[in-house]
């Protein structure tokens, strides 16, 4: 898989679990960067492979105008492609952040437009298979979910086997 950038909001409360589940599937995607958010909610991906300074400045402005986002992660669901995920509630602040990023960078629609102009905010937990289901995943995360958390950082990350790392990050602005 070629590398790509992701603008994401790390979810520290589930970092250990998602990191270990990632390790279960592919150790190449377990980052050695201690700030890297394996557990995250995507704001926009893919983004520019090598963002220019003016693009980074626009992201900084958007982060500065965005207040930290408090969500409850409780509902486990599955997309038609088999991705098992948690739905954040409420999701409108996350949709607003993605909308702001898409307005600034219309050449980068969410998931390259694969799921339409508006992708559903989510935190990926697993992928359905003969041995993995929504129910089995629910049992595995039973001690961690539900969880309420406040998302305070926007990261620009690089995702590629053996090269996952944070490229840059911005704090969301409590006055945003």
């Amino acid at each position: 898989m070629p590398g790509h950038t992701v603008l994401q909001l790390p979810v520290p409360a589930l970092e250990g679990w998602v990191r270990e589940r990632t390790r279960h599937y592919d150790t190449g995607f377990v980052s050695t960067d201690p700030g890297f958010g394996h557990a995250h909610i995507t704001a926009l991906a893919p983004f520019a492979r090598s963002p220019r300074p003016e693009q980074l400045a626009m992201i900084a402005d958007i982060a500065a105008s965005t207040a930290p986002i408090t969500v409850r992660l409780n509902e486990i669901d599955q997309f038609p492609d088999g991705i098992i995920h948690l739905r954040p509630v409420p999701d409108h602040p996350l949709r607003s952040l993605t909308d702001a990023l898409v307005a600034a960078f219309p050449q980068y629609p969410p998931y390259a437009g694969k799921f339409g102009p508006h992708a559903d905010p989510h935190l990926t937990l697993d992928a359905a298979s003969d041995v993995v289901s929504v129910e089995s995943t629910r049992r595995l995360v039973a001690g961690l979910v539900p969880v309420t958390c406040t998302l305070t950082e926007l990261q620009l990350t690089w995702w590629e086997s053996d090269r996952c790392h944070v490229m840059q990050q911005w704090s969301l602005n409590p006055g945003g």
Side-chain angles (χ1 to χ4, degrees):
M1 173 189 300
H4 63 280
T5 54
V6 175
L7 284 161
Q8 63 184 36
L9 300 141
V11 180
L14 295 170
E15 178 62 19
W17 193 91
V18 172
R19 182 182 177 92
E20 288 311 307
R21 200 64 185 156
T22 302
R23 184 183 315 285
H24 170 79
Y25 285 107
D26 188 342
T27 58
F29 284 93
V30 177
S31 179
T32 59
D33 181 341
F36 186 84
H38 297 87
H40 67 274
I41 296 172
T42 298
L44 186 63
F47 189 62
R49 290 182 63 82
S50 299
R52 298 183 314 274
E54 61 271 17
Q55 290 174 310
L56 297 173
M58 290 173 73
I59 297 167
D61 288 345
I62 291 168
S65 67
T66 302
I69 301 168
T70 300
V71 295
R72 182 162 176 81
L73 297 163
N74 182 37
E75 182 183 344
I76 297 176
D77 202 354
Q78 182 176 325
F79 288 125
D81 67 357
I83 296 298
I84 298 171
H85 60 278
L86 285 164
R87 292 189 176 275
V89 176
D91 69 358
H92 61 84
L94 297 162
R95 289 180 187 277
S96 294
L97 175 58
T98 296
D99 289 347
L101 290 165
V102 170
F105 307 106
Q107 68 274 36
Y108 301 107
Y111 300 99
K114 182 178 178 181
F115 305 108
H118 304 286
D120 290 332
H122 64 280
L123 186 147
T124 299
L125 293 173
D126 216 324
S129 69
D130 292 342
V131 295
V132 176
S133 67
V134 169
E135 285 307 314
S136 69
T137 303
R138 187 172 284 121
R139 285 191 299 274
L140 288 172
V141 297
L144 300 172
V145 173
V147 63
T148 298
C149 52
T150 301
L151 311 175
T152 61
E153 299 287 329
L154 179 63
Q155 296 181 332
L156 174 63
T157 57
W158 182 258
W159 283 82
E160 183 178 12
S161 187
D162 297 319
R163 295 190 59 217
C164 294
H165 64 279
V166 176
M167 298 169 69
Q168 194 150 348
Q169 68 182 29
W170 303 267
S171 294
L172 300 184
N173 183 356

